[in-house]
Amino acid sequence: MTKILKDIRVVEMGTYITGPAAGMHLADLGADVIKVEKPGTGDPFRAFKGGLYSPHFQTYNRNKRSIALDTAKQGDRAVFHDLIATADVFIQNFRPGVAERLGAGYPELSVINPRLVYCAITGFGSSGPDRDRPAYDTVAQAASGYLRLLTPPDNSRVIGPAIADSVTGHYAALGIAAVLLERSRTGMGRCLDISMLEAMCHFNLDSFTHYFSAGEVMGPLSRPRVSQSYTFACSDGKWVAIHLSSPQKFWEGLMTSVNRLDLLVDPRFADRLTRIEHQEAMIEILTPIFLTRTRSAWCQILHLNEVPHSPAYDADEALEDPQARHLQIAVEATHPQMGSFKTVRAPYQFDGVVDRTILPPPTLDEHGDEIRRELPARKMQFVDQAGQDRISV
């Protein structure tokens, strides 16, 4: 069991994806991530398919503990601030100004804990004309120029998963790790601001570099042409993907695989640049050929000829691949109330050791009492959720 961040406590007041994804990455590395949620409803992602344990919520909230706090109430805010006093990291992904109203702004929390690494995730940044605009995944993809690289040229519609949300969470976790490293030398925390717009612009770096350096505005087919990437349907309705890149041997291996050695002397495909120029013609030639065999048969042939390829799996197939099974990518745990939970483990191996232990996503306030008991004892009077005065010692 390798828990690199086992001595780090993270308090996450995150909803939907960006904040929870950042917390999940740290939790996967062993951090004690405590998710602070709204009493009664919790993270809105909980109810995306009814109930309070949707697959959307489960995706980004494994390896965490949950406590329900209404920081608009004096007593719960005091508990939250006590929790911050014990924390190394705080993560929130509210619109600018919301955290301050909840008693969770950086000026307030940094006084409580000067060593705190404070991470604020926004859609468009904490300043500027668009700081208050609502932002979700598709909005950030579009604003960064990335969405146009995914949209089918002849069918204008949004496709694919929530890339901007996940990417922003990953960048946030990386920034947090950098500040933690600096804090080990200085003893002081920092406020890290990261927006979905900035994260996706950096993720889209290749597109901007081509524009700045060569004046080229890339489109959805730019990268597949240059990399000589293909996907073909096979006779069984399944797909195979091929990525030739630049080595000549891969092009020759593909021509051997499809028994079209004559194309090696075709002037349209004489070298890499001409193959890029005539990729559509190549697709027209290869498409009916690949329809003559099953995906399994083609994979055997392509493997024999050392062509970079893979079956284009669906989610119900990918983790059953022999290599995925060998790497034990799928992991499972059991929640005492919600039952079996199966997911994909973190990709890290430290010193050759794979950590396959996981905690299922928590139910709302599952660890509330446990977390309160861990806080330093103090006397305080407050009003509980039922509106009754009570004393906590």
Side-chain angles (χ1 to χ4, degrees):
M1 183 185 303
T2 308
K3 303 291 186 185
I4 297 295
L5 297 181
K6 63 182 177 62
D7 297 322
I8 298 298
R9 169 169 283 185
V10 178
V11 176
E12 174 214 301
M13 196 178 272
T15 60
Y16 295 107
I17 299 180
T18 55
M24 181 197 70
H25 288 305
L26 300 175
D28 283 349
L29 287 166
D32 174 24
V33 178
I34 297 174
K35 186 176 181 71
V36 177
E37 303 187 70
K38 184 178 180 180
T41 56
D43 183 337
F45 234 24
R46 285 185 176 275
F48 240 52
K49 283 198 171 181
L52 292 176
Y53 208 68
S54 75
H56 303 80
F57 172 81
Q58 291 179 44
T59 300
Y60 301 100
N61 289 283
R62 65 193 187 192
N63 291 327
K64 300 179 185 179
R65 299 191 289 166
S66 170
I67 183 172
L69 296 173
D70 181 356
T71 57
K73 296 180 178 179
Q74 179 183 355
D76 279 7
R77 183 171 294 198
V79 172
F80 171 66
H81 285 171
D82 283 349
L83 189 56
I84 289 296
T86 71
D88 298 283
V89 177
F90 176 71
I91 301 170
Q92 57 93 347
N93 62 316
F94 302 119
R95 287 199 213 181
V98 173
E100 286 73 14
R101 295 198 296 271
L102 297 174
Y106 177 66
E108 187 171 358
L109 300 193
S110 63
V111 170
I112 296 170
N113 184 352
R115 289 175 50 82
L116 186 69
V117 178
Y118 187 105
C119 178
I121 304 172
T122 59
F124 287 95
S126 59
S127 63
D130 287 338
R131 58 161 259 165
D132 294 320
R133 279 180 59 190
Y136 289 95
D137 183 84
T138 303
V139 175
Q141 285 195 43
S144 66
Y146 195 79
L147 185 67
R148 293 283 288 134
L149 300 180
L150 301 181
T151 306
D154 55 354
N155 184 11
S156 181
R157 61 178 300 172
V158 175
I159 61 174
I163 296 173
D165 284 328
S166 299
V167 163
T168 304
H170 194 92
Y171 276 117
L174 179 62
I176 289 167
V179 181
L180 285 172
L181 179 61
E182 181 195 50
R183 194 191 69 171
S184 69
R185 299 190 299 269
T186 67
M188 298 297 294
R190 282 186 185 270
C191 180
L192 166 66
D193 282 303
I194 182 168
S195 72
M196 295 174 70
L197 175 60
E198 291 165 295
M200 279 306 295
C201 284
H202 190 275
F203 189 69
N204 197 21
L205 187 60
D206 184 48
S207 183
F208 290 119
T209 302
H210 276 74
Y211 174 66
F212 293 147
S213 298
E216 176 187 355
V217 177
M218 297 180 72
L221 300 180
S222 299
R223 198 276 306 181
R225 284 198 185 101
V226 172
S227 64
Q228 298 182 80
S229 300
Y230 305 88
T231 182
F232 296 109
C234 304
S235 64
D236 52 1
K238 298 180 180 180
W239 292 7
V240 62
I242 297 168
H243 187 126
L244 299 181
S245 189
S246 55
Q248 178 70 12
K249 66 177 182 178
F250 295 146
W251 161 246
E252 294 172 355
L254 177 60
M255 292 303 96
T256 301
S257 298
V258 298
N259 196 27
R260 288 298 305 267
L261 296 180
D262 58 299
L263 296 178
L264 294 176
V265 295
D266 189 313
R268 295 174 298 173
F269 314 120
D271 55 37
R272 175 174 170 269
L273 293 180
T274 56
R275 291 195 290 275
I276 291 172
E277 182 181 353
H278 296 97
Q279 189 187 46
E280 293 301 321
M282 177 55 56
I283 291 173
E284 290 181 10
I285 293 170
L286 294 180
T287 294
I289 294 176
F290 275 88
L291 285 171
T292 63
R293 299 177 187 267
T294 65
R295 183 179 70 183
S296 176
W298 277 119
C299 287
Q300 292 180 30
I301 294 170
L302 293 168
H303 178 73
L304 181 66
N305 289 292
E306 298 185 340
V307 179
H309 74 283
S310 175
Y313 287 131
D314 288 317
D316 59 348
E317 301 176 285
L319 299 182
E320 297 303 317
D321 181 273
Q323 184 64 22
R325 291 176 66 88
H326 167 77
L327 294 173
Q328 298 180 301
I329 294 175
V331 291
E332 193 168 0
T334 301
H335 190 279
Q337 283 80 45
M338 307 308 295
S340 177
F341 169 70
K342 194 169 186 177
T343 188
V344 171
R345 65 169 175 80
Y348 317 107
Q349 291 191 31
F350 296 105
D351 300 323
V353 177
V354 175
D355 185 0
R356 302 189 71 249
T357 60
I358 57 166
L359 293 175
T363 53
L364 180 59
D365 201 35
E366 179 178 344
H367 306 93
D369 290 341
E370 172 186 300
I371 293 167
R372 284 180 171 87
R373 287 193 296 269
E374 294 172 0
L375 297 177
R378 78 174 201 169
K379 291 186 178 181
M380 57 185 178
Q381 185 167 349
F382 59 93
V383 178
D384 67 13
Q385 293 179 28
Q388 303 296 317
D389 288 338
R390 69 184 185 191
I391 300 291
S392 176
V393 179

